[in-house]
Amino acid sequence: MTEELEQILSQLTQPDNAVIQQATAQLKQAFKDPAIIPALCAVMSGSQNPQIRQSAAVMLRLRVKKHWKKISPNDRESLKAVVLQAFMQETEHTVQHSLSQLCAVMVKHETPDRWPALLQLLNQSTKSSNPHDRQVGLLLLNKVMDSNPEPFKPHYCQLLQLFSTVLQDHNNPTALYYCILTLTAITAYTGTEEMNLMRSIIPSLVVALKHLIKADQDQASEAMEVFNELMESEVSIIVPHVTDMVHFCLEVGSDTTLSDSLRVKALSCIAFLIKLKSKTVLKQKLLNPILQAIFPVLVAAPPPGEHDPEDEEDDSGDGSDSDNPKHCAAQIIDTMALHMPPEKLFQQLMPLAQACLTSENPYQRKGGLMCLAVLAEGCADHIRTKMLSSMLQTVCQSLSDSNQVVRSAGLFALGQFSEHLQPEVSKYCSDLMPLLLGYLSSCSQAKVGHVTKAFYALENFMENLGADIEPYLPTLMETMLSALNNTENLKIKELAVSAIGAIANAAKELLVPYFPPVIESLKGFLTTTTEEMRSLQTQSLDTLSVLARTIGNDVFSPLAAECVRLGLNLTDTIDDPDLRRCTYSLYSAVSTVSPDCLTPHLTAITTVMLLALKSNEGITAHLEEDKTFVLLDEDDDDDNNEGEKDVDDFLEDDTETDIHDVAGFSVENAYIDEKEDACDALGELAFSTGAAFQPFLESSFQQVYEMRDFPHEDVRRAAFGAMGQFCRAQHKVWTENPTESNHQALLKLLDVVIPCFLETVRTEQERQVVMAVLETMNSVIKSCKEEVFKNPSRLKEISHVIRDVLKKKAVCQGGGVDEADDEDQQAEYDAMLLEFAGEGIPLLASSVPAEQFAPFLNDLLPLIMSKAKSSCTVADRSFSVGTIGEILQALGSVSGGRGLAGRLSNRLLPVLVAGTKDSDAEVRNNSVFGLGCLAQAAGPIVVTDYPMMLSVFSNLLTKESDLRVIDNLCAALCRMILSNVEAVPLEQVFPALVARLPLKEDMEENKTVFSCMAMLYTNSPALVVKQMKPIVAASSHVLGNKDVDEETKTTSAMLIKQFAQHHSADFQAAMTSLPREQQAKLSAAISAS
């Protein structure tokens, strides 16, 4: 059979389709014969043609991989012997490679100890005095170890000793390469006994990499992955050598004679280190050396006659450019901003940035602006509160720079500021809007790439303006509509469509007059099917989704059904992940306006989305031969055609690959985004469509649950969000239709989801994902309240996870190490994570009886109170007193709450009173709110503290200038009155309170104020009637106000009606002193109720 098989395999290499087809058919036959294994062995070791030897090795590998158990024991033993013999006598590298991969698959089935000859061969070859033997031995070792690191654990110490020898072999770069790859493969599995050996290897590893760089930069770049692996799994090994590693990476990253990809790899190692161990970087004083090294990279001018990628004409303008050293340098600063305390970073960074911004060289000015831009996200609070106006001034000046490269960077920085520095940045509206509009009109003749950047800045700025956009609407919409109708350029149309979405987010119903022409244009774009319209269509769908959410139900509802049909038609005719993704968002938006029109289409819609979650499309594996293949469906086929399956696999899988030879995966972004948006949309659809979604809930949940460990963090985050939405959806269905089976379904769902959330908060590496999970868990507790706690252990588990995050013990916080550092300074995002955890405490307090929660609250309160110290940041102090206030408010609504609030009052009063004297208005505001809630929740117990509280408030009332604080002072006084009316000297307090009405900023507190006045009118009408004039005036502000809830309007109207009936003369006098418009509102309220 051997010659026959060799014949067939040689025909498969012919460049003739007919011959290949015939050979394939013969091969399928041959595979049905059990003698195929020995025959393949014979060809693999005996054929003269290396290509055929390699083919035989690949066929054997596929056979072994799937059908090892079906190979007879004798064939297995002879195969083990033949493979090693073939490997030792082979001279062709490609065949050696395939043979080593075959060994790797066999070891998977056999464990190393059952194949002593392999261990012996590895031992001999890697220690051989012949350099070529050592290379080949290390190649085999690398393949075998890479696919089965764990079974080799008993040999790790011996291996590490071997590596420390090989790493000295500087004249044999191939050996160095395979040695470092194998070290990378075992790092994650090493334990404490290997630690010291690992540590001692690091210095020679750095030297070996330097030699490998001289020999082969691509191999060196791949080998540098060892640093990331060491940092991720065993950072304590790296810490003693961190300085050397950083200096080495900076040296490589700065060396312009090296390839971009190698420099990028080196710089990304530094970014990764900062992300994982920012405290170590600061402690070992590495911040300054890193900045000194990366600034020259950030401000380097491109070669003469060339541009940086982001300044090329076809750049998208959103900063998502390719990986190059300059981009990595900016990314390092971005990572610092996200993971270091702003004070420490700015102290060292700002002098460097300042020098660039004032330089004569345009690329230095550009670098300075890029630096400001990437700081905005991570250091938002620091910039907003301490340096916004000077930074904005710098950026605005750059927009009139003589050099377009600098202007572009300025636009990017402005876009970043607009996105991350809200709400303060919007206060500069009157300066920035004219500047941006003027800029846009001046660059209408410019290149499209630059117009794109101007739109990016304008859009990000407009999006958050709210009603302040009104004066600019006519100009804006005229510009955008004329771009839609007049320009030939599709890119400009796309920018205008996107901008209309941003305008709609701000303007909401103010956009109604412009709605018809906008919709006509969008429909036109969405009904064509030509390829070049694709990105304009995805943008149109996005904008349509925004309009659905913002323009008002009555305007959009008539179009809802048509929008759903448009979306379904598009995805039926066009296969494009971006387009599908945008239709998911559209359905989701429509479901919030008119859920019923989705019901008939839910089957079609959920089918597409679940397929998107299941699909492996766009996932590509990276192979060492630099070839790529899409993962094959590796299902084991039925026995009857198993031979054919191997042949088919072989023919498809000709590029000599296997998932274990894969150096990593890359997933096309479009497919990641599609999965993320599918999760988001399924969650929202389930919630909006309620009972109609029930038939799809289980299948959707299962598929989304599968995504919880997807490699890409955005998909994980979206999956957890959707899981929370499914719980809320099921709760809503049960409340609307309280059957036992609906209730059981909810409890079953909560029993899967909550433990999954808690586990993720503890073990997930990505801080952003943990924040999202905490936020989602909070929303589930808020909606489902006591149902979450039907499981008796839940309260304890959730409280303990909150406690662990507040103590910084979660994996994403570094797992509780470095406890001793200065507590008060931390990165803003680290502080935000604690806030998300803290927000859960009041939710727990409002969901269970107080006596059950008391022991956990006692544990948690000190962790919250410790952040109210004056040495903490404003954000921390505000969070601390705000959370205390919310806990007290929650206790007011649960059984046993009054007693618990009373017992806590002595601990909490000093903290809240101190907060009313804080220099920051938000801290004062939250403290005043907290004191009011304490009075209301604790009741009679705190009456003895009333005189002191009243004197604090009266002092504040005379000095305070912040409108929101004044509103909250009024509300807090009302809470004191509502709780203990006898304890308040009303003759002095009530007139002072009424004089501050109407509320100016905090409209929600009207509820407290008016229920207090209604109560007082019932108890002591004379007191209230005396203040008739200001009360009537305040009511006229409340009655027509869309920011005030209906219940409060009713209370106010009832009060006015009482006045009109029982005190008509006083009431008429109060009425006539008001403007006409206000009088009309009052008259309408009297006649309506």
Side-chain angles (χ1 to χ4, degrees), residues 972-986:
L973 287 168
C974 289
R975 285 195 169 89
M976 291 176 76
I977 295 168
L978 284 163
S979 185
N980 297 293
V981 68
E982 313 72 58
V984 180
L986 292 174

PDB file of all heavy atoms in Angstrom, residues 972-986:
ATOM      1  N   ALA A 972     -33.830  69.844  53.342  1.00  0.00           N
ATOM      2  CA  ALA A 972     -33.408  69.233  54.608  1.00  0.00           C
ATOM      3  C   ALA A 972     -34.228  69.808  55.762  1.00  0.00           C
ATOM      4  O   ALA A 972     -34.671  69.071  56.659  1.00  0.00           O
ATOM      5  CB  ALA A 972     -31.918  69.478  54.830  1.00  0.00           C
ATOM      6  N   LEU A 973     -34.483  71.117  55.751  1.00  0.00           N
ATOM      7  CA  LEU A 973     -35.327  71.723  56.788  1.00  0.00           C
ATOM      8  C   LEU A 973     -36.727  71.106  56.738  1.00  0.00           C
ATOM      9  O   LEU A 973     -37.322  70.794  57.773  1.00  0.00           O
ATOM     10  CB  LEU A 973     -35.399  73.245  56.588  1.00  0.00           C
ATOM     11  CG  LEU A 973     -34.105  73.997  56.959  1.00  0.00           C
ATOM     12  CD1 LEU A 973     -34.146  75.433  56.457  1.00  0.00           C
ATOM     13  CD2 LEU A 973     -33.883  73.982  58.476  1.00  0.00           C
ATOM     14  N   CYS A 974     -37.243  70.895  55.517  1.00  0.00           N
ATOM     15  CA  CYS A 974     -38.565  70.277  55.382  1.00  0.00           C
ATOM     16  C   CYS A 974     -38.570  68.859  55.945  1.00  0.00           C
ATOM     17  O   CYS A 974     -39.538  68.439  56.581  1.00  0.00           O
ATOM     18  CB  CYS A 974     -38.999  70.246  53.911  1.00  0.00           C
ATOM     19  SG  CYS A 974     -39.411  71.881  53.277  1.00  0.00           S
ATOM     20  N   ARG A 975     -37.485  68.117  55.718  1.00  0.00           N
ATOM     21  CA  ARG A 975     -37.427  66.749  56.260  1.00  0.00           C
ATOM     22  C   ARG A 975     -37.441  66.796  57.791  1.00  0.00           C
ATOM     23  O   ARG A 975     -38.067  65.962  58.449  1.00  0.00           O
ATOM     24  CB  ARG A 975     -36.156  66.036  55.779  1.00  0.00           C
ATOM     25  CG  ARG A 975     -36.228  65.607  54.320  1.00  0.00           C
ATOM     26  CD  ARG A 975     -35.139  64.590  53.957  1.00  0.00           C
ATOM     27  NE  ARG A 975     -35.430  64.044  52.641  1.00  0.00           N
ATOM     28  CZ  ARG A 975     -34.984  64.597  51.481  1.00  0.00           C
ATOM     29  NH1 ARG A 975     -34.210  65.673  51.539  1.00  0.00           N
ATOM     30  NH2 ARG A 975     -35.310  64.059  50.324  1.00  0.00           N
ATOM     31  N   MET A 976     -36.725  67.779  58.376  1.00  0.00           N
ATOM     32  CA  MET A 976     -36.721  67.900  59.842  1.00  0.00           C
ATOM     33  C   MET A 976     -38.135  68.200  60.348  1.00  0.00           C
ATOM     34  O   MET A 976     -38.593  67.630  61.335  1.00  0.00           O
ATOM     35  CB  MET A 976     -35.748  69.015  60.269  1.00  0.00           C
ATOM     36  CG  MET A 976     -34.279  68.659  60.018  1.00  0.00           C
ATOM     37  SD  MET A 976     -33.161  70.023  60.414  1.00  0.00           S
ATOM     38  CE  MET A 976     -33.143  69.977  62.201  1.00  0.00           C
ATOM     39  N   ILE A 977     -38.829  69.094  59.633  1.00  0.00           N
ATOM     40  CA  ILE A 977     -40.195  69.470  60.046  1.00  0.00           C
ATOM     41  C   ILE A 977     -41.121  68.258  59.925  1.00  0.00           C
ATOM     42  O   ILE A 977     -41.884  67.938  60.843  1.00  0.00           O
ATOM     43  CB  ILE A 977     -40.712  70.644  59.176  1.00  0.00           C
ATOM     44  CG1 ILE A 977     -39.865  71.900  59.432  1.00  0.00           C
ATOM     45  CG2 ILE A 977     -42.182  70.908  59.442  1.00  0.00           C
ATOM     46  CD1 ILE A 977     -40.109  73.032  58.423  1.00  0.00           C
ATOM     47  N   LEU A 978     -41.021  67.543  58.775  1.00  0.00           N
ATOM     48  CA  LEU A 978     -41.906  66.396  58.553  1.00  0.00           C
ATOM     49  C   LEU A 978     -41.685  65.333  59.627  1.00  0.00           C
ATOM     50  O   LEU A 978     -42.611  64.626  60.027  1.00  0.00           O
ATOM     51  CB  LEU A 978     -41.642  65.784  57.168  1.00  0.00           C
ATOM     52  CG  LEU A 978     -42.216  66.557  55.973  1.00  0.00           C
ATOM     53  CD1 LEU A 978     -41.560  66.099  54.677  1.00  0.00           C
ATOM     54  CD2 LEU A 978     -43.743  66.364  55.884  1.00  0.00           C
ATOM     55  N   SER A 979     -40.444  65.206  60.073  1.00  0.00           N
ATOM     56  CA  SER A 979     -40.113  64.127  60.990  1.00  0.00           C
ATOM     57  C   SER A 979     -40.495  64.493  62.430  1.00  0.00           C
ATOM     58  O   SER A 979     -41.029  63.663  63.165  1.00  0.00           O
ATOM     59  CB  SER A 979     -38.622  63.832  60.894  1.00  0.00           C
ATOM     60  OG  SER A 979     -38.303  62.723  61.678  1.00  0.00           O
ATOM     61  N   ASN A 980     -40.200  65.718  62.841  1.00  0.00           N
ATOM     62  CA  ASN A 980     -40.457  66.138  64.232  1.00  0.00           C
ATOM     63  C   ASN A 980     -40.907  67.602  64.247  1.00  0.00           C
ATOM     64  O   ASN A 980     -40.109  68.482  64.551  1.00  0.00           O
ATOM     65  CB  ASN A 980     -39.186  66.024  65.069  1.00  0.00           C
ATOM     66  CG  ASN A 980     -38.686  64.606  65.173  1.00  0.00           C
ATOM     67  OD1 ASN A 980     -39.326  63.757  65.783  1.00  0.00           O
ATOM     68  ND2 ASN A 980     -37.548  64.346  64.543  1.00  0.00           N
ATOM     69  N   VAL A 981     -42.177  67.819  63.913  1.00  0.00           N
ATOM     70  CA  VAL A 981     -42.608  69.207  63.722  1.00  0.00           C
ATOM     71  C   VAL A 981     -42.478  70.022  65.010  1.00  0.00           C
ATOM     72  O   VAL A 981     -42.128  71.206  64.975  1.00  0.00           O
ATOM     73  CB  VAL A 981     -44.041  69.266  63.116  1.00  0.00           C
ATOM     74  CG1 VAL A 981     -45.082  68.773  64.099  1.00  0.00           C
ATOM     75  CG2 VAL A 981     -44.367  70.665  62.637  1.00  0.00           C
ATOM     76  N   GLU A 982     -42.684  69.362  66.183  1.00  0.00           N
ATOM     77  CA  GLU A 982     -42.641  70.132  67.440  1.00  0.00           C
ATOM     78  C   GLU A 982     -41.237  70.605  67.755  1.00  0.00           C
ATOM     79  O   GLU A 982     -41.041  71.541  68.518  1.00  0.00           O
ATOM     80  CB  GLU A 982     -43.108  69.302  68.656  1.00  0.00           C
ATOM     81  CG  GLU A 982     -44.377  68.493  68.512  1.00  0.00           C
ATOM     82  CD  GLU A 982     -44.208  67.277  67.618  1.00  0.00           C
ATOM     83  OE1 GLU A 982     -43.337  66.419  67.910  1.00  0.00           O
ATOM     84  OE2 GLU A 982     -44.913  67.198  66.590  1.00  0.00           O
ATOM     85  N   ALA A 983     -40.235  69.930  67.205  1.00  0.00           N
ATOM     86  CA  ALA A 983     -38.854  70.252  67.593  1.00  0.00           C
ATOM     87  C   ALA A 983     -38.282  71.417  66.778  1.00  0.00           C
ATOM     88  O   ALA A 983     -37.136  71.793  66.958  1.00  0.00           O
ATOM     89  CB  ALA A 983     -37.977  69.016  67.418  1.00  0.00           C
ATOM     90  N   VAL A 984     -39.083  71.960  65.859  1.00  0.00           N
ATOM     91  CA  VAL A 984     -38.568  73.036  65.003  1.00  0.00           C
ATOM     92  C   VAL A 984     -39.287  74.357  65.344  1.00  0.00           C
ATOM     93  O   VAL A 984     -40.522  74.390  65.338  1.00  0.00           O
ATOM     94  CB  VAL A 984     -38.797  72.703  63.510  1.00  0.00           C
ATOM     95  CG1 VAL A 984     -38.271  73.826  62.616  1.00  0.00           C
ATOM     96  CG2 VAL A 984     -38.120  71.383  63.154  1.00  0.00           C
ATOM     97  N   PRO A 985     -38.519  75.415  65.636  1.00  0.00           N
ATOM     98  CA  PRO A 985     -39.159  76.726  65.880  1.00  0.00           C
ATOM     99  C   PRO A 985     -39.684  77.306  64.553  1.00  0.00           C
ATOM    100  O   PRO A 985     -38.997  78.093  63.885  1.00  0.00           O
ATOM    101  CB  PRO A 985     -38.015  77.568  66.457  1.00  0.00           C
ATOM    102  CG  PRO A 985     -36.757  76.922  65.959  1.00  0.00           C
ATOM    103  CD  PRO A 985     -37.061  75.480  65.722  1.00  0.00           C
ATOM    104  N   LEU A 986     -40.918  76.928  64.203  1.00  0.00           N
ATOM    105  CA  LEU A 986     -41.445  77.240  62.867  1.00  0.00           C
ATOM    106  C   LEU A 986     -41.516  78.742  62.600  1.00  0.00           C
ATOM    107  O   LEU A 986     -41.317  79.177  61.467  1.00  0.00           O
ATOM    108  CB  LEU A 986     -42.826  76.604  62.702  1.00  0.00           C
ATOM    109  CG  LEU A 986     -42.800  75.071  62.652  1.00  0.00           C
ATOM    110  CD1 LEU A 986     -44.210  74.508  62.644  1.00  0.00           C
ATOM    111  CD2 LEU A 986     -42.057  74.579  61.414  1.00  0.00           C
TER     112      LEU A 986
END
